[in-house]
Amino acid sequence: MEPHFHYEIKFLKPQHLPEILTLQNLVIENLPDKECYYQEPLAFFEKVLADGKNCLGLFEAGDLIGFHMACLLEGNEAIGVDIGLGGSEVSLIVQWGPTAIHPKYRQQGLLKMLADHHLKIFRDRGYEHICLTIAPQNYASLSSAIRQGFLIKRLTYKFGHLLRYVLHLDLKRPCKAPVCQVRVTGSDLESQQFLLSLGFYGSGVLRSQAETELLFGHDGFSGDSFRKSVVRRQCS
Ligand SMILES: CC(C)(COP(=O)(O)OP(=O)(O)OC[C@H]1O[C@@H](n2cnc3c(N)ncnc32)[C@H](O)[C@@H]1OP(=O)(O)O)[C@@H](O)C(=O)NCCC(=O)NCCS
């Protein structure tokens, strides 16, 4: 269904904090799987809202019905390191999340609309890298991110104990068509972990009635890179 155009997208500011927390509580209460969403502490929201020009809110008739947070990374913060970014690139990384849409307004393409708007903002500002984490079982978020060009680069524990894909979008170097592609069922995390350890990346998600499937691509093995991947896996 196409989103209606009476929705308004605005930058979130510190004064929106009470509404954000109320919406977050409602979203968490309604989650069928609580592990899909990590509840950030108050200090996180205070930090990302401080300058009022990075996080987006979706409003209907003045009420907040969705948010899409963004955090500019400073120094060698873990998520950039997770996907092999460091040094001078670090200052150009933005991390997205958390994001939420009010349960009454789901499946209208509103996450997609907010995320596309956010992507344009950071592209226009000259950012090169966007990272985000998504629970493997969160099809809605995964599908939206992969459609925007994000690639799954890692599968690891984040926020202490929650299993997450780490996704990366390189805004300056769009992904080329992979040299080879493998399909894996969404629940087969062991095979996905193995493919990631060999240098594959997740680049597609398909859903039939029975199961979610992921597409993993690879840019081509040289003998040396293949040997290194296998040695890395044997050592881990
Ligand atoms: C994840 C979330 C933000 C998606 O919002 P949304 O506006 O409903 O998403 P969209 O309408 O843009 O849909 C994106 C895709 O997910 C699918 N989808 C959305 N909700 C779905 C559901 N409940 N069941 C199955 N598919 C769903 C849509 O059909 C669409 O699929 P497609 O890309 O194959 O067409 C919303 O479900 C939510 O707030 N969830 C709880 C919080 C959360 O998990 N946040 C993400 C982690 S920080």
Side-chain angles (χ1 to χ4, degrees):
M1 192 199 301
E2 280 296 309
H4 301 290
F5 290 102
H6 53 268
Y7 297 123
E8 193 185 1
I9 298 177
K10 289 196 288 201
F11 283 118
L12 291 169
K13 302 191 184 304
Q15 64 263 33
H16 292 116
L17 192 50
E19 279 179 277
I20 293 168
L21 296 178
T22 304
L23 178 57
Q24 177 175 252
N25 286 341
L26 178 82
V27 164
I28 291 172
E29 270 168 33
N30 283 277
L31 278 178
D33 178 350
K34 306 284 182 218
E35 298 224 326
C36 275
Y37 185 95
Y38 174 69
Q39 183 172 7
E40 293 282 359
L42 183 61
F44 168 86
F45 288 109
E46 286 171 344
K47 177 179 156 197
V48 297
L49 296 174
D51 62 8
K53 54 179 193 185
N54 291 318
C55 300
L56 293 181
L58 181 66
F59 294 81
E60 195 204 31
D63 293 330
L64 185 73
I65 59 158
F67 57 75
H68 199 265
M69 299 293 167
C71 175
L72 311 184
L73 296 189
E74 296 150 14
N76 247 5
E77 291 190 55
I79 193 165
V81 176
D82 275 341
I83 51 160
L85 297 176
S88 58
E89 288 160 319
V90 168
S91 59
L92 297 168
I93 303 178
V94 57
Q95 181 175 348
W96 278 0
T99 185
I101 299 290
H102 189 297
K104 242 174 64 187
Y105 296 85
R106 302 245 171 104
Q107 289 188 271
Q108 298 181 38
L110 295 182
L111 169 63
K112 184 183 177 319
M113 182 176 77
L114 261 184
D116 285 349
H117 199 86
H118 227 167
L119 188 59
K120 183 173 179 339
I121 289 170
F122 283 103
R123 196 191 289 279
D124 291 351
R125 287 180 188 172
Y127 273 80
E128 292 186 21
H129 302 281
I130 307 179
C131 306
L132 55 86
T133 63
I134 299 179
Q137 64 274 33
N138 195 341
Y139 172 79
S141 290
L142 203 54
S143 153
S144 164
I146 284 182
R147 209 153 9 92
Q148 282 188 304
F150 281 84
L151 300 176
I152 299 171
K153 293 288 184 67
R154 281 200 72 185
L155 175 60
T156 186
Y157 286 94
K158 303 297 290 180
F159 315 113
H161 62 289
L162 298 175
L163 196 57
R164 292 289 186 260
Y165 292 125
V166 180
L167 291 98
H168 172 219
L169 177 62
D170 187 332
L171 290 165
K172 293 275 158 73
R173 285 162 288 271
C175 181
K176 292 176 284 178
V179 170
C180 57
Q181 239 175 5
V182 181
R183 267 180 193 227
V184 193
T185 54
S187 54
D188 185 359
L189 298 178
E190 200 179 326
S191 300
Q192 295 173 32
Q193 192 66 281
F194 178 61
L195 289 168
L196 290 167
S197 77
L198 294 178
F200 281 81
Y201 47 82
S203 56
V205 58
L206 313 159
R207 193 171 222 193
S208 67
Q209 275 179 337
E211 179 59 289
T212 300
E213 282 191 309
L214 296 181
L215 292 177
F216 281 80
H218 201 287
D219 292 336
F221 289 108
S222 68
D224 196 37
S225 70
F226 183 68
R227 260 193 309 280
K228 277 188 199 150
S229 306
V230 173
V231 170
R232 213 180 314 128
R233 179 166 168 79
Q234 282 168 349
C235 296
S236 62

